[in-house]
Amino acid sequence: MDKETKSLNIDTAINKQNAVDEENVTAKKVFGVNVYALILSACIVAFAGFVIENVFRLFCIGVIDDRHRIFPFIAEYGIAYFAIFLLFGTPKNLRIFTKKITITAKNEKTAAFLQTALYFLIVFLCIGLGEITVGLTVEKTMGIKGWNFSNIPLHITRYTSIPTDFAYTSAFTVFMHLFFDKMIDGLSEISPKVLKILAIVLTTTILFDSLIMLCHGMMYNKYPSYWRIVLQLKHLKR
């Protein structure tokens, strides 16, 4: 009886493992990347965007705030990251939509550098055009003037500037070159069911939060504000 019970337990464990393995194998992928890992990574980027903006504002004007959201995620960062990956891949695996781009040169290092430089240029243009498009669209439709880079040298409209685009593009290119694969691999280690639930719940939360912000903007011509902290930093004192 004990042997039968032990054998049954072993068979059950094997069946469960096979089910997990099968789910891993059949996980939906886009350009070789687990879809839910990609979506969850976009949520992480949205959180990183919230942190980056507040760090920038802290050192520039001594303020950290909610960025007009209930939760600490800025959807635009996650959406931009998601879209750029779908359209152009990564520096190591550069694509234009589905067409793979491979640059050849005398040696591998030169080819890799040129390919990364091309990726950098594409992302630089996407970020600049994206900021101008979003900024002007919101201004025209809601009457809200968002961020303002007019005090930064080489600004193009109030919504973008060459120095800020260069900084964003540099950080993004380095991230996609060095950390993208590691992050996706790490997230893919999460149980498929848990990964799916996390991706769906976080994405729904972030998008719903952004929808609240947009609805508030359309109704009152200004974004909501939930909290704001002003810090007296020495380098900002006159």
Side-chain angles (χ1 to χ4, degrees):
M1 187 67 178
D2 290 340
K3 290 183 178 180
E4 291 180 359
T5 302
K6 185 176 181 181
S7 177
L8 181 60
N9 289 337
I10 293 174
D11 290 340
T12 302
I14 291 174
N15 290 334
K16 287 182 178 180
Q17 184 60 47
N18 288 339
V20 171
D21 292 341
E22 184 177 353
E23 191 168 359
N24 280 324
V25 170
T26 59
K28 294 180 180 178
K29 293 188 176 182
V30 55
F31 296 112
V33 174
N34 183 308
V35 169
Y36 293 114
L38 181 62
I39 292 173
L40 187 55
S41 70
C43 296
I44 293 173
V45 171
F47 173 74
F50 178 88
V51 173
I52 290 169
E53 285 204 6
N54 267 310
V55 169
F56 180 79
R57 287 168 57 80
L58 174 62
F59 283 99
C60 290
I61 59 176
V63 172
I64 58 175
D65 61 26
D66 51 38
R67 306 312 298 132
H68 314 296
R69 277 121 173 137
I70 299 171
F71 301 102
F73 301 92
I74 299 181
E76 293 89 323
Y77 285 85
I79 292 170
Y81 155 85
F82 192 84
I84 288 174
F85 172 77
L86 291 182
L87 295 175
F88 308 113
T90 67
K92 296 176 183 177
N93 297 290
L94 177 60
R95 294 178 281 98
I96 305 296
F97 302 105
T98 58
K99 183 176 177 58
K100 185 174 176 60
I101 305 298
T102 302
I103 295 178
T104 56
K106 292 182 179 180
N107 58 70
E108 292 183 0
K109 289 185 178 180
T110 301
F113 172 80
L114 293 174
Q115 187 160 307
T116 301
L118 177 58
Y119 186 86
F120 182 96
L121 178 61
I122 292 171
V123 173
F124 182 86
L125 293 174
C126 287
I127 290 176
L129 292 174
E131 285 184 317
I132 292 173
T133 301
V134 172
L136 291 177
T137 299
V138 170
E139 183 177 337
K140 297 297 182 183
T141 57
M142 301 183 193
I144 299 174
K145 291 185 177 181
W147 60 98
N148 188 3
F149 291 154
S150 298
N151 61 335
I152 297 177
L154 302 177
H155 66 273
I156 304 171
T157 74
R158 63 180 283 139
Y159 296 114
T160 193
S161 74
I162 291 178
T164 53
D165 279 3
F166 184 86
Y168 276 125
T169 304
S170 297
F172 186 84
T173 302
V174 169
F175 171 78
M176 295 299 283
H177 183 73
L178 297 178
F179 304 109
F180 175 79
D181 290 335
K182 294 178 181 178
M183 180 170 65
I184 294 297
D185 289 343
L187 293 175
S188 297
E189 291 296 318
I190 300 173
S191 164
K193 289 184 179 179
V194 174
L195 180 63
K196 182 177 180 179
I197 292 171
L198 284 174
I200 292 175
V201 170
L202 272 179
T203 301
T204 303
T205 300
I206 293 169
L207 293 180
F208 184 71
D209 196 8
S210 295
L211 181 61
I212 292 174
M213 181 190 72
L214 292 174
C215 289
H216 191 284
M218 288 187 287
M219 292 174 62
Y220 303 106
N221 298 118
K222 65 178 182 179
Y223 290 138
S225 179
Y226 303 103
W227 59 268
R228 175 184 174 93
I229 300 173
V230 179
L231 301 174
Q232 299 296 326
L233 301 182
K234 290 183 179 180
H235 74 280
L236 295 176
K237 294 180 180 180
R238 294 183 177 179

